[in-house]
Every structure is written in structure tokens, then in C-alpha cells.
Amino acid sequence: GFGAVAVVLWKHMNAAALYHYGGFMLSSVLLGLAFLSIALLLSTLARERTRASGMAIAAWFFFVLVFDLLLLGLLVSTGGQVGGDSFAWLLMLNPTDVFRILNVFSMEDVRTLYGLASVMPESLGNPLTMGGVMLAWIVFPLLLANWRFKP
């Protein structure tokens, strides 16, 4: 779907906009692969197909909604003491946050308007670093699933 839109809009976008759009498409594919890897790992842990499906949906729900609420609660309950670099490293434990950081830090205009930029060190906002973290979210669940699946 993203590729079809790019084909339609390519005449209306400059090279920089196409570059960022391509990065967004790539990061979206990586996020999808990360969740697919997590779902595959969970399916090796479940005994029934319905349980595996439920676990995959629960994992998505946790990473997309609950994880950030827990971090926000931690930030509020500690009065902001768990901030700075430690907070940024905690964001790496969620592929959805890695996706957000990857896309927010790729454009200067968005970075200055987005609140996450205030807690994220610029060294961790590097697209190559975030791409590597996203690849880790793809590879490690697959390796664990492979290990778990072998008799």
C-alpha cells in the first residue's frame, strides 16, 4: 500500500520527501517483521492455535498501548528521577517505540515538535542505531523460536 501511494505521489514530492517516505516504508516493514517474529516466538510457546493467537494479540496490545503507559507511570511516580539516558534505554525494550524514534529523528522539523526528543539523546536517535535495534527485535525472537522449536 505504501509503495502504491509513493508511485502516485512521486511527481509531487521532492527528493528529500521521497527519501523520508522510503525510510518510513522501510521502518514500517521492519516493525511488521518484528511483530511477526514475536508472534512466531509466542506460537512456539503455546500448545493451541487459539492460545497462540491470543498471546500475539496481547503482545501487540502490550507493546502498542500498555508499555508506554507503564513508562509514563514510572516517570510520574519517581518525580522525573527515572529520566534522561535510563528512560531512553527503556524505550529500546519496545519495538513500537523504536519505530517512533526512528521516524521522529529522521526529520528535523518533526524532532523539534515531538516531546520524545526531549528525553532521547541524539546518539540513540541515529537511524543506523535504531535500525540495528529494530533488526535485533526481528532476529532475537526468531532465534529463540528456532531454539524452542527444535526437539
Side-chain angles (χ1 to χ4, degrees):
F2 287 133
V5 170
V7 169
V8 171
L9 293 177
W10 76 274
K11 289 183 180 181
H12 305 287
M13 300 169 89
N14 60 21
L18 285 172
Y19 172 78
H20 288 296
Y21 190 75
F24 176 70
M25 285 185 353
L26 178 63
S27 66
S28 297
V29 169
L30 291 176
L31 180 64
L33 290 173
F35 275 108
L36 193 59
S37 294
I38 293 167
L40 185 65
L41 172 62
L42 294 173
S43 73
T44 63
L45 300 173
R47 296 188 189 274
E48 301 166 359
R49 186 180 340 180
T50 54
R51 184 166 290 166
S53 296
M55 290 169 63
I57 291 168
W60 176 87
F61 188 79
F62 173 77
F63 283 122
V64 172
L65 299 172
V66 175
F67 186 86
D68 289 337
L69 289 174
L70 290 174
L71 282 184
L72 185 59
L74 179 68
L75 190 62
V76 170
S77 67
T78 61
Q81 292 177 359
V82 181
D85 289 344
S86 61
F87 189 77
W89 285 103
L90 289 172
L91 291 173
M92 301 299 113
L93 299 175
N94 184 351
T96 307
D97 285 329
V98 174
F99 171 80
R100 289 180 189 133
I101 294 164
L102 188 57
N103 286 291
V104 165
F105 276 78
S106 67
M107 292 186 290
E108 184 66 35
D109 295 341
V110 177
R111 185 182 334 166
T112 57
L113 298 173
Y114 196 64
L116 189 58
S118 62
V119 296
M120 198 68 189
E122 225 170 293
S123 61
L124 284 179
N126 181 340
L128 291 176
T129 304
M130 291 295 99
V133 173
M134 189 63 85
L135 286 175
W137 270 105
I138 296 167
V139 171
F140 287 133
L142 284 177
L143 290 174
L144 288 172
N146 184 44
W147 172 76
R148 174 73 171 95
F149 192 67
K150 286 184 179 180

